[in-house]
Amino acid sequence: MTAVAFSINGKAVNVEAEPDTALLWVVREHLKLTGTKYGCGSGLCGACTVHIDGKAVRSCQTQMSTMGGKKVTTIEGLSPNSSHALQKAWIVDQVPQCGYCQSGQIMQAAELLAKNKKPTRKQIIAHMDGNICRCGTYPRIVRAIERAAREG
């Protein structure tokens, strides 16, 4: 076990974990932030997407040995009261069906809007490629991102 100091959602933490432990499990099991979901465990679906130093990454593929001094943002830290433009647009456009992938979808989209305030539809689709929605709400996801970009 090794102690790893990093910040999560603006709060400093120090976690004891094996160096090869996935960040996903530290977030969910040690820190009890369960908005980040386990999907495939292989970094292929995007359900576990969080931001590390502002970049969207798959937390199931991020080892704790790489986390020292990093700044992590989970869906819980995106806004203090779910008031982020994407979260509001997700509700207006009724994106979720089962909802399981939605935190990863929103975190992936938040990275895009942080870099590009007015992305084209083509840029949205390209950026979101790789985040899987088993319910197939892709058209609603794109509409919600477009709405968030307009109203954000």
Side-chain angles (χ1 to χ4, degrees), residues 14-33:
N14 196 345
V15 176
E16 292 273 334
E18 294 295 334
D20 63 346
T21 300
L23 173 62
L24 170 65
W25 300 121
V26 169
V27 168
R28 289 184 57 79
E29 301 299 325
H30 293 265
L31 302 174
K32 305 301 183 197
L33 297 170

Side-chain angles (χ1 to χ4, degrees), residues 121 124-125 137-147:
R121 183 176 184 80
I124 292 169
I125 292 168
T137 63
Y138 300 112
R140 291 188 222 170
I141 291 168
V142 171
R143 275 196 311 272
I145 297 168
E146 290 172 329
R147 177 184 303 278

